[in-house]
Amino acid sequence: MIREFGTGDIVYLVFAARWTLALTALAFAGGAIVGLTLAVLRISPLAPLRFLASLYIQIVQGTPLLVWLFLFYFGLSIAGLPVNAWTAAALAYSIYGGAFLGEIWRGALIAVAPTQWEAGASLGLTYVQQMRHIIIPQAVRIATPPTIGFLVQLIKNTSLAATIGFVELTREGQLTSASTYKPFAVYITVACIYFLICFPLTQWSRRLEERFNVAR
Amino acid sequence: MKYGLQFRDVFAAWEFLLEGLAVTLALSVCTMVLGFFLGLACACARTYGGARFKQAVTVYIETIRNTPLLVQIFLLYFGLPSLGLRLEGFDAALIALVINLGAYSTEIIRAGLEAIPKSQIEAGQSLGLTPWQIFRYIIVFPALKAMYPALSSQFILLMLATSVVSQISVQDLFHVGSIIQSRTFRDFEVYTVIGCIYLALAFMMRGVFAVIYRQVFAR
């Protein structure tokens, strides 16, 4: 018997969103590690390091996220590693997120005036000290709005993990749709939940950006 | 256990891969053209239109930009038939992609239109040009130049995003890859090859966009 799409299903979908948020958090954490490394390498004084970081970004930004997900989900087993949807998704999203966060953060780092570096150098600070105490604190302010913007992209893109059977909001939607046979109502509900998560973040990012532009 | 990489089975299906590539290209090019004009119409409505237009466009943009493309595609393909409107996979995919790209390009085009200093439009008005002439001779060219870089990277992102349509069984490059995978069990090899093809496409698009920019705008 086909059951109805009722309040219970909506509650269930809302609860499934916690896996969307958990995956987003994992992806952001992994992406932040990769991205920070890339951003620092991209402005390093050593040309080969800059080249490698730039190559990485070009490759990842030139391939669909879906390819990374499938490559890790189906492909890693040939290396003899046991792979489940969580590991595959965590790896794929870290690689993907890192490339985009790396570019955003590099932009923020080079947006800090060069005289700030020179001021640090003239105080006798080392490269790492200049980065740590002078450049990064200023770059964080510049980077916050676009980083939140990318976080919204990331939340939406976690929906692709549904394709490798990762049960988050979209996958839960597919399952509910299959059991209630009310695809329209189900996917509208799913879309609304995504909207309720993403829209406040979008607005926040926009407000921060406006405030930053006024301050400048 | 040692695993030997074998690309032979994947390359044996090259004709099939080409078919998928053709679908991906067709979908991307149609979406770019239609999505651009949708974005242009919405950006004009938002910049020059009345308050009600502005509101409608804002609702459209915010709805699309704050929900995942995959859910939008599912809604059109699986959801609409229950309202009595059944779409072919390719059509559903194309419509969803156009609506999606339209929302993103509206913002980019609007920024381009707003980059034109008001004084230039006023200069046109004081010369007695009609609104269409002002749009045609004063706004279009510099606005296109201002929006070009953002728009071309959005187009590349769109081409990559078309891979999502494989989830409603449109036989694009990615879907063809999944079929080859299920026939040959060469998982790693298939997705490496597919990834490289997308990468080559992305680089080609970037090259073509750079050439167009140099020919048209860099003078």
Side-chain angles (χ1 to χ4, degrees), chain B residues 52-73:
Chain B
R52 193 157 303 166
F53 272 124
K54 262 178 215 177
Q55 249 171 9
V57 172
T58 308
V59 170
Y60 160 59
I61 295 176
E62 295 300 341
T63 312
I64 297 301
R65 300 212 318 169
N66 288 299
T67 49
L69 173 62
L70 187 62
V71 175
Q72 292 161 13
I73 291 179

Side-chain angles (χ1 to χ4, degrees), chain A residues 6-192:
Chain A
T7 334
D9 291 297
I10 295 177
V11 172
Y12 217 65
L13 284 171
V14 171
F15 275 109
R18 73 184 187 278
W19 297 116
T20 291
L21 295 178
L23 181 57
T24 305
L26 197 63
F28 191 79
I33 295 168
V34 178
L36 197 59
T37 315
L38 284 171
V40 172
L41 289 182
R42 280 277 270 157
I43 59 160
S44 124
L46 299 171
L49 292 181
R50 286 203 303 271
F51 172 76
L52 281 179
S54 151
L55 185 70
Y56 174 97
I57 290 171
Q58 299 268 334
I59 289 176
V60 176
Q61 292 197 349
T63 40
L65 174 57
L66 218 47
V67 168
W68 291 103
L69 276 171
F70 277 58
L71 204 54
F72 281 113
Y73 187 61
F74 293 111
L76 263 194
S77 53
I78 65 165
L81 299 169
V83 174
N84 56 36
W86 271 98
T87 334
L91 284 171
Y93 282 104
S94 302
I95 285 182
Y96 163 85
F100 284 85
L101 287 175
E103 272 301 85
I104 294 172
W105 292 345
R106 177 192 75 107
L109 287 175
I110 57 176
V112 178
T115 49
Q116 297 286 320
W117 287 95
E118 289 158 13
S122 69
L123 287 172
L125 300 183
T126 63
Y127 183 83
V128 176
Q129 283 173 327
Q130 291 169 33
M131 187 69 106
R132 158 90 182 70
H133 296 290
I134 297 179
I135 306 302
I136 288 182
Q138 298 183 68
V140 165
R141 259 171 60 87
I142 305 174
T144 309
T147 303
I148 298 171
F150 179 71
L151 187 63
V152 174
Q153 297 287 333
L154 206 54
I155 294 171
K156 290 186 293 171
N157 278 333
T158 56
S159 64
L160 294 185
T163 61
I164 56 167
F166 187 104
V167 183
E168 37 65 73
L169 183 49
T170 303
R171 181 80 192 134
E172 193 57 52
Q174 287 180 308
L175 299 172
T176 312
S177 163
S179 59
T180 60
Y181 212 69
K182 289 279 184 295
F184 191 78
V186 170
Y187 289 122
I188 285 282
T189 311
V190 169
C192 285

